[in-house]
């Protein structure tokens, strides 16, 4: 053993020894892998694998021997004879092939021994034949003990290696054990034999031309060996994978056929009889294998299909072409149908004879239903696309048209048939311009400019753009880019919409009726004028304008006539306007104007022109309507320095002008602002007057003119202010109507009067005035019914007094309310008759129970024949309508006598009784 180790370490190149060992292991492992493939194969494949194993393994073992020999240093220059070297290679290949054949051919023990003996003896023969190929200037002597030992070791270890070959291997060590043992046997044989070699140097010269170079042999043998072994390993690996794949495919196919439930798979004999049936077929068609095997597959067709020979034609097609595929209705055992996708494949044996058919059926009922729905939806989308109001196009990434709708062709007036899918965008633009432009050069230039501009917008990501054309047409273009570089583009004709938007923008700052600027626009203009005036140290006048008695024009002639008057006055204002002057309408009969000036004479000229335009008369439908206006002027910077301040102060001045009998133009004064603040404070106190218990009621008696008996009382409201004392009704009633406080105050008056009257020990009526605001903004019938129920007052003791102005605004609503009040048992009187309109139509249309003659007629009845005639006429009217008349304001006996002569029914006034609180003493006296 020590001699062998000394031989290895001292007489060999260890690097080449290592290379030899690696080659030996790889060759041994390759041989064992290929042996395994040969043992698991049969027929010609076994012979191929066996020969491949012998060639690859033998060549590798031979390479191991000669690399190890090249690593040996005998102390003299050596070479190798080519002929004997090749003989040793053949010996190695034959020995390895014989060992593989013995392992395959014999039983377990005999195979291992036979293979081991053949391999060990063959490798030994290869070794010593190779030694004979050495040419050196000396003699080689062998120690027979080492030679015998090497052969014995080689055979013994080889038998062990073949014993472990082709066995089930689960661990890595067990997998490589045969190759390791075979490598050990070859190495042991080689180095044991080499330990017994003695080289005696000689003096004979060698012919280099007849020898192989050791260096060349190392490189050549290593390269060829590794290539051959790699090829062997590759062949084995591919074979293993191919067999594994085939096995998996076969196993999966069996599982698929037997386990698939979504597909009906069956086999047919050449005559169309069912010979095999899987679970999917049973599930899909309802037949069990016992039900269907041996029967004709035409059972799955309808009777009509069978009469038309469809099953036979299907088999004929499959027999002729090798495959038949179709879709159609098929039927289950229970008679129900399903939409089937059917494939029939012809099956032939190795000789090409038809042995049957494989039939696969898939239930595609859901897919057909989905496809039908998609088809319907697609059709509907096509219809919608062709009939939508927008033009739409789809282009691909190469700027080629995919689709477009009819509206797109109409918008750009393309000639019929000139646009088709696949055309380039540039070409389409050129066609469009050529079709709509007479001059060819102009059309070409326009098309080029349009294409360049629009493609820049599209590629630049501009999602929307508006194109305006000389014809006046405006198109809205919207682009959505697609991931593939294409785009969807829509065109909408927005000509009318833009005009509408411009009109809306105009109306946002202008009055719809007159076209004058509105309050918003006026405020912006005032702001601009103030900034200019501040820079140039000028002045700005804001003029508030309110038409006189314009409400009467609407009430007497209708709103249509009022609108015509406004339009005519607007025209006149436009005629007198000069540069830099600005007039606006705020609404109704309210206007405003602005003038920047330096001299007061310029402002007075402006105001005079405004007065002249607004005064005079307007002829409408044969009527001459007198017009006029009240003007209020506020001047920047003296009166205010803000837009709101100037407008507010101009309004205050305008209201003072309306209240004046002589002045139609008033300039703002600080005292006017004080009056306005006083009025606002009074309005605030009015809202709190009920909670402060500052309100109380007085009553003025109604008496019969003929007998002098009391017929009732008019309820009058009084306000005792906590700081200012008693405030006359004329100072706060109108204010309460303006600020809205009349609603809670009026309800309080009605409730308090009913509560007090219910406690009286008589049945006299009470008359309560109803404000126009109450009648227009509340469900008075419901309010009155609730108060009567709450206080317990008999409805016949309550009389509601309303003025004609209360019902003139909305006659239909007023009539409904009055009828509902009368339905409660409450009577209704028309108050202040003879003033305002005093329309006979009003008396005819509304259910009044009493007419109250205004006190202004009684003040002049003694001195004015006209007033007396009017009183006589109204009393006669009342008698003819069978409606009693009550005269207000009777203060003298002569007035009462006149009423008596004219047969007036009732009277009211200081002569008969002053307003006072209804205490116990008064009640007793009245009774």
């Amino acid at each position: 053993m020590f001699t062998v180790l000394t031989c290895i370490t001292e007489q060999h190149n260890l690097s080449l020894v290592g290379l030899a060992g690696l080659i030996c292991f790889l060759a041994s492992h390759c041989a064992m892998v290929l042996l395994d493939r040969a043992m698991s194969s049969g027929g010609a494949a076994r012979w191929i694998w066996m020969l491949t194993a012998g060639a690859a393994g033998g060549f590798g073992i031979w390479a191991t021997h000669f690399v190890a020999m090249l690593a040996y240093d005998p102390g003299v220059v050596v070479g190798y004879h080519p002929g004997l070297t090749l003989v040793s290679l053949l010996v190695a290949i034959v020995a390895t092939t014989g060992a593989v054949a013995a392992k395959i051919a014999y039983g377990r023990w005999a195979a291992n021994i036979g293979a081991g003996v053949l391999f060990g003896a063959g490798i030994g023969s290869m070794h010593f034949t190779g030694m004979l190929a050495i040419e050196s200037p000396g003699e080689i002597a062998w120690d027979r003990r080492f030679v015998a030992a090497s052969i014995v070791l080689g055979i013994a270890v080889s038998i062990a290696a073949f014993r472990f070959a082709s066995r089930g291997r689960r661990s890595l060590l067990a997998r490589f054990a045969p190759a390791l043992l075979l490598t050990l046997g070859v190495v042991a044989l080689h180095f044991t034999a080499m330990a017994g070699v003695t080289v005696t140097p000689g003096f004979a010269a060698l012919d280099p031309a007849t020898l192989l170079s050791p260096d060349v042999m190392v490189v050549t043998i290593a390269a060829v060996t590794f290539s051959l072994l790699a090829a062997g390993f590759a062949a084995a690996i591919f074979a293993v994978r191919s067999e594994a794949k085939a096995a998996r495919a076969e196993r999966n196919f069996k599982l698929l056929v037997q386990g698939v439930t979504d597909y009906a798979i069956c086999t047919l004999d050449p005559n169309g009889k069912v010979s095999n049936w899987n679970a999917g077929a049973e599930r899909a068609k309802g037949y069990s294998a016992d039900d269907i095997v041996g029967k004709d597959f035409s059972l799955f067709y309808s009777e009509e299909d069978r009469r038309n020979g469809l099953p036979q034609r299907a088999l004929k097609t499959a027999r002729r072409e090798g495959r038949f595929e179709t879709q159609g209705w098929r039927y289950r055992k229970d008679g129900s149908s399903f939409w089937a996708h059917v494939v029939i494949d012809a099956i032939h044996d190795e000789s090409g004879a038809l042995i049957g058919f494989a039939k696969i059926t898939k239930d595609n009922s859901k897919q057909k239903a989905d496809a039908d729905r998609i088809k319907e939806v697609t059709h509907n989308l096509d219809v919608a696309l062709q009939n939508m109001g927008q033009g739409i196009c789809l282009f691909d990434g190469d700027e080629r048209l995919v689709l477009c709708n009819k509206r797109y062709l109409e918008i750009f007036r393309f000639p019929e048939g000139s646009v088709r899918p696949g055309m380039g965008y540039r070409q389409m633009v050129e066609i469009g311009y050529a079709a709509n432009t007479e001059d060819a050069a102009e059309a070409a230039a326009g098309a080029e400019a349009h294409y360049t501009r629009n493609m820049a917008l599209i590629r630049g990501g501009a999602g929307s753009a508006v194109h305006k054309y000389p014809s006046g047409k405006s198109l809205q273009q919207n682009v959505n880019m697609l991931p593939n570089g294409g785009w969807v583009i829509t065109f909408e004709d927005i000509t009318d919409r833009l005009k509408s938007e411009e009109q809306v923008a105009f109306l946002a700052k202008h009055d719809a009726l007159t076209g004058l600027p509105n309050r918003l626009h006026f405020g912006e203009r005032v702001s601009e004028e103030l900034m200019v005036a501040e820079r140039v140290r000028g002045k700005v006048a804001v003029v508030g304008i309110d038409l006189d008695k314009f409400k009467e024009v609407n009430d007497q002639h209708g709103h249509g006539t009022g609108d015509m008057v406004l339009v005519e006055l607007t025209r006149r204002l436009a005629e007198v306007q000069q540069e830099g002057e600005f007039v606006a309408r705020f609404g109704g009969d309210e206007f405003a104007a602005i003038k920047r000036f330096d001299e007061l004479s310029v402002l007075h000229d402006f105001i005079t022109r405004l007065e002249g335009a607004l005064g005079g008369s307007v002829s409408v439908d044969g009527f001459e309507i007198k017009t006029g206006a009240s003007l209020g002027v506020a001047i920047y910077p003296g009166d205010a320095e803000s837009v709101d301040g100037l407008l507010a102060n101009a309004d205050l001045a305008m209201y003072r002008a309306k209240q004046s009998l002589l002045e139609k133009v008033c300039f703002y004064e600080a005292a006017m602002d004080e009056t306005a603040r006083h009025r606002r404070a009074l309005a605030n106190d009015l809202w709190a007057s009920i909670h402060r218990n500052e309100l109380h009621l007085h009553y003025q008696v109604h008496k019969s003119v003929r007998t002098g008996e009391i017929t009732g009382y008019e309820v009058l409201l009084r306000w005792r202010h906590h700081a200012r004392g008693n405030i006359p009704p004329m100072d706060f009633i109108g204010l309460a109507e303006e600020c809205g406080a009349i609603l809670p105050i009026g309800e309080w008056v009605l409730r308090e009067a009913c509560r007090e009257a219910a406690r009286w020990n008589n049945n006299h009526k009470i008359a309560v005035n109803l404000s126009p605001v109450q009648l227009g903004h509340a469900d008075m019938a419901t309010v009155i019914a609730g108060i009567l129920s709450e206080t317990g007052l008999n409805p016949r003791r309550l009389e509601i007094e309303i003025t004609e102005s209360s019902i003139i605004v909305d006659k239909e609503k007023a009539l409904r309310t009055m009828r509902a009040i009368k339905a409660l048992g409450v009577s209704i009187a028309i108050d202040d008759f003879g003033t305002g309109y005093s329309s006979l139509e009003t008396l005819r249309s509304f259910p009044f129970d009493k007419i109250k003659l205004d006190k202004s007629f009684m003040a002049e009845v003694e001195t004015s024949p006209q007033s007396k005639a009017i009183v006589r006429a109204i009393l006669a009217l009342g008698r003819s309508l069978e409606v009693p008349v009550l005269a207000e304001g009777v203060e003298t006996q002569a007035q009462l006598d006149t009423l008596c002569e004219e047969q007036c029914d009732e009277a009211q006034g200081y002569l008969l009784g002053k307003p006072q609180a209804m205490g116990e003493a008064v009640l007793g006296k009245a009774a």
Side-chain angles (χ1 to χ4, degrees):
M1 183 65 180
F2 180 75
T3 303
V4 174
L5 292 176
T6 301
C7 174
I8 294 173
T9 57
E10 293 183 1
Q11 294 181 317
H12 286 78
N13 183 330
L14 295 180
S15 297
L16 292 180
V17 170
L19 176 61
L22 174 62
I23 292 173
C24 186
F25 173 76
L26 293 176
S28 300
H29 187 59
C30 180
M32 291 301 173
V33 169
L34 296 176
L35 170 62
D36 185 65
R37 300 308 310 147
M39 294 183 70
S40 61
S41 301
R46 169 173 288 188
W47 284 99
I48 293 172
W49 285 117
M50 182 179 69
L51 294 174
T52 304
F59 191 91
I61 300 302
W62 173 83
T64 299
H65 165 74
F66 272 93
V67 170
M69 287 301 301
L70 293 172
Y72 177 65
D73 183 11
V76 295
V77 176
V78 298
Y80 295 90
H81 191 279
L84 291 176
T85 300
L86 288 177
V87 171
S88 66
L89 172 60
L90 292 175
V91 171
I93 291 174
V94 171
T96 304
T97 302
V100 170
K103 177 65 177 177
I104 295 172
Y106 297 103
R108 183 175 180 184
W109 291 104
N112 294 335
I113 295 172
V117 170
L118 286 174
F119 186 79
I123 295 307
S125 300
M126 176 274 297
H127 174 79
F128 293 110
T129 304
M131 291 296 294
L132 293 176
I134 294 175
E135 298 287 345
S136 65
E139 294 182 0
I140 297 175
W142 296 91
D143 187 330
R144 295 184 178 182
R145 293 173 302 164
F146 284 98
V147 171
S150 66
I151 295 174
V152 172
L153 279 173
I155 292 174
V157 176
S158 296
I159 291 173
F162 281 102
R163 180 175 180 274
F164 287 99
S166 299
R167 299 181 62 182
R169 296 178 290 275
R170 288 176 289 182
S171 66
L172 185 65
L173 180 61
R175 187 179 305 165
F176 291 108
L180 289 172
L181 288 172
L182 209 59
T183 301
L184 179 61
V186 173
V187 170
L189 185 151
H190 177 85
F191 288 107
T192 301
M194 292 304 296
V197 173
T198 301
V199 178
T200 302
F203 301 100
L206 298 177
D207 183 5
T210 62
L211 304 176
L212 296 176
S213 170
D215 293 336
V216 173
M217 288 186 68
V218 169
V219 175
T220 302
I221 292 171
V224 173
T225 302
F226 282 124
S227 299
L228 185 60
L229 293 178
F233 278 121
I237 290 171
F238 286 145
V240 169
R241 289 182 178 178
S242 177
E243 289 184 1
K245 184 176 180 180
R248 283 196 304 271
E250 183 177 358
R251 183 175 64 256
N252 291 340
F253 178 74
K254 291 181 180 179
L255 291 174
L256 175 67
V257 171
Q258 297 302 323
V260 131
T261 58
D262 290 336
Y263 288 84
I265 302 175
C266 66
T267 56
L268 309 177
D269 65 16
N271 297 319
K273 306 293 184 183
V274 177
S275 58
N276 202 343
W277 193 251
N278 80 329
E282 182 174 348
R283 176 178 175 272
K285 299 185 179 183
Y287 293 96
S288 67
D290 294 337
D291 294 334
I292 197 66
V293 171
K295 295 183 179 178
D296 197 280
F297 83 110
S298 60
L299 282 174
F300 310 138
Y301 289 77
S302 66
E303 292 184 6
E304 182 179 357
D305 289 344
R306 290 196 292 269
R307 285 196 302 270
N308 293 331
L310 260 63
Q312 291 74 20
R313 287 205 296 272
L315 291 183
K316 184 177 180 181
T317 301
R319 186 181 296 110
R320 182 181 66 252
E321 300 179 4
R323 181 183 180 87
F324 171 80
E325 184 172 1
T326 189
Q327 292 193 84
W329 292 107
R330 296 296 182 268
Y331 294 85
R332 302 183 180 92
K333 181 179 179 181
D334 60 6
S336 61
S337 61
F338 64 97
W339 186 259
H341 176 266
V342 180
V343 176
I344 302 177
D345 287 311
I347 304 174
H348 299 84
D349 60 13
E350 295 178 357
S351 64
L354 179 70
I355 60 174
F357 302 93
K359 180 174 177 291
I360 301 175
T361 305
K362 176 71 167 63
D363 184 350
N364 278 351
S365 300
K366 183 177 183 303
Q367 290 84 339
K368 177 176 172 54
D370 292 341
D372 290 343
R373 282 195 296 270
I374 292 172
K375 183 178 179 181
E376 181 180 1
V377 170
T378 302
H379 172 72
N380 293 336
L381 288 175
D382 288 341
V383 172
L385 186 67
Q386 294 303 323
N387 291 277
M388 65 187 296
Q390 293 180 323
I392 185 169
C393 294
L394 171 62
F395 291 89
D396 62 18
D398 297 324
E399 300 182 14
R400 297 197 172 277
L401 178 67
V402 177
L403 63 86
C404 68
N405 68 346
K406 181 174 66 176
R407 179 58 179 154
Y408 170 75
L409 303 177
E410 292 173 350
I411 289 175
F412 292 100
R413 294 183 292 182
F414 282 102
E416 185 175 355
S418 61
V419 174
R420 58 189 180 278
M423 293 180 63
Y425 180 57
R426 181 192 291 270
Q427 183 183 1
M428 291 174 59
V429 172
E430 291 172 349
I431 292 173
Y433 271 85
N436 295 283
T437 307
E438 294 182 1
D439 185 81
E442 182 182 350
E448 180 63 27
H450 180 95
Y451 172 80
T452 303
R453 181 178 65 255
N454 212 34
M455 285 308 301
L457 290 173
I458 292 171
R459 296 302 184 190
S464 179
V466 175
H467 299 282
K468 293 189 176 182
Y469 296 91
S471 62
K473 179 182 289 188
S474 297
L475 297 179
Q476 172 81 43
Q477 170 184 295
N478 292 295
V479 180
N480 289 317
M481 298 303 297
L482 303 177
N484 64 355
W487 68 89
V488 177
I489 185 169
T490 60
F491 295 93
E492 182 180 3
D493 189 341
I494 60 170
T495 306
D496 294 336
R497 191 179 82 190
L498 286 182
K499 291 179 180 178
S500 298
E501 289 175 354
E502 290 170 358
Q503 181 68 13
V504 169
F506 177 82
L507 293 176
K509 292 188 176 183
H510 293 79
D511 174 53
L513 175 64
T514 64
L516 289 174
N518 60 12
R519 184 184 295 272
L520 174 64
H521 196 181
F522 185 80
E524 293 173 352
R525 181 60 179 268
V526 173
S527 297
E528 295 171 3
E529 293 292 345
L530 293 184
M531 287 188 292
V532 174
E534 184 179 8
R535 288 197 302 269
V536 301
R537 297 185 180 278
K539 298 179 180 180
V540 177
V542 173
V543 183
I545 305 170
D546 192 82
L547 301 182
D548 295 335
K549 298 182 180 179
F550 184 74
K551 184 176 183 299
E552 295 180 7
V553 175
N554 282 331
D555 292 341
Q556 293 178 4
H557 301 283
H559 289 279
T561 299
D563 289 346
M564 286 189 280
V565 171
L566 291 173
V567 171
E568 174 60 22
L569 293 180
T570 300
R571 186 190 65 78
R572 294 180 183 179
L573 286 170
E575 288 180 350
V576 302
Q577 267 184 261
Q578 296 179 1
E579 185 177 356
E581 297 171 353
F582 197 77
V583 179
R585 181 190 178 210
F586 288 177
D589 57 355
E590 189 178 357
F591 292 77
I594 183 172
K595 174 72 175 181
R596 181 163 47 84
F597 66 97
D598 295 317
E599 301 292 335
L600 278 175
S601 59
V602 176
L603 174 60
H604 286 304
D605 174 66
F606 177 54
I607 293 173
T608 300
R609 285 187 278 113
L610 291 177
E611 282 189 285
L614 296 170
S617 63
V618 176
S619 179
V620 179
D621 295 334
F623 294 99
E624 289 294 326
I625 299 173
K626 296 294 183 181
T627 61
S630 299
L631 284 68
V633 184
I635 300 174
Y636 167 87
D639 296 335
E641 295 185 354
S642 67
V643 175
D644 293 338
L646 285 170
L647 287 171
N649 291 340
D651 280 345
L652 288 174
M654 182 267 294
Y655 284 122
R656 185 161 68 89
K658 286 187 74 68
Q659 295 169 0
S660 173
L661 297 176
L662 300 176
E663 296 182 89
K664 287 301 178 183
V665 179
C666 287
F667 284 77
Y668 172 76
E669 298 174 2
M672 296 165 54
D673 194 31
E674 181 63 30
T675 301
R677 285 197 297 271
H678 172 79
R679 192 170 178 82
R680 286 194 296 270
L682 197 62
N684 291 333
D685 290 340
L686 263 176
W687 282 99
S689 61
I690 297 176
H691 301 293
R692 292 174 178 170
N693 295 319
E694 295 178 353
L695 301 178
H696 58 279
L697 301 179
H698 279 187
Y699 297 85
Q700 188 173 28
V701 68
H702 293 173
K703 289 187 178 182
S704 169
V705 173
R706 186 174 57 84
T707 64
E709 294 180 354
I710 296 174
T711 58
Y713 297 90
E714 180 178 3
V715 179
L716 302 172
L717 178 63
R718 296 294 182 263
W719 182 18
R720 185 180 296 108
H721 192 274
H722 63 282
R724 304 178 186 181
N726 289 324
I727 298 178
M730 63 180 299
D731 291 344
F732 72 82
I733 293 297
L735 181 60
E737 291 180 338
E738 290 179 15
C739 70
I742 193 65
L743 294 174
I745 290 175
E747 186 173 339
W748 178 88
V749 170
L750 188 60
R751 180 177 286 104
E752 192 66 17
C754 290
R755 182 181 293 110
E756 290 188 2
R759 295 200 302 264
W760 298 348
N761 56 1
N762 57 56
N763 292 320
H764 293 151
K765 297 182 73 171
I766 56 171
V768 180
N769 286 280
L770 204 63
S771 165
V773 178
Q774 289 177 274
L775 192 64
H777 290 79
D779 186 359
M780 284 309 301
T782 302
V783 173
I784 292 171
I787 290 174
L788 291 174
S789 175
E790 176 186 340
T791 60
L793 181 71
N794 188 332
R796 289 180 175 81
R797 293 183 60 196
L798 178 62
E799 184 173 83
I800 299 297
E801 295 184 2
I802 63 174
T803 60
E804 192 172 7
S805 61
S806 300
I807 61 178
I808 201 69
V809 177
D810 190 344
K811 291 184 178 181
E812 291 186 2
K813 181 179 180 181
L815 182 59
R816 289 195 303 269
T817 301
M818 291 171 64
R819 286 174 176 171
I821 292 173
K822 284 184 66 67
L824 298 174
V826 177
S827 58
I828 301 176
I830 182 169
D831 197 12
D832 299 335
F833 191 79
T835 62
Y837 309 109
S838 301
S839 170
L840 297 179
E841 174 65 19
T842 301
L843 290 177
R844 186 187 68 82
S845 302
F846 291 87
F848 293 111
D849 300 295
K850 184 183 290 186
I851 298 174
K852 296 191 72 174
L853 183 63
D854 189 71
K855 62 183 178 181
S856 63
F857 295 105
M858 298 310 301
E860 300 177 358
V861 74
E862 297 178 70
T863 58
S864 173
Q866 291 85 359
S867 296
K868 188 172 183 178
I870 292 174
V871 170
R872 183 181 294 118
I874 293 174
L875 292 173
L877 178 64
R879 286 193 298 274
S880 65
L881 294 175
E882 298 181 352
V883 177
V885 178
L886 184 149
E888 297 180 300
V890 178
E891 298 182 356
T892 66
Q893 186 61 43
Q895 294 172 347
L896 184 60
D897 292 341
T898 299
L899 293 176
C900 187
E901 291 174 5
E902 299 298 333
Q903 300 179 12
C904 182
D905 299 289
E906 298 178 73
Q908 172 186 351
Y910 277 21
L911 177 67
L912 304 176
K914 295 181 179 180
Q916 57 184 318
M918 192 64 76
E920 291 294 335
V922 176
L923 278 174
K925 182 178 179 180

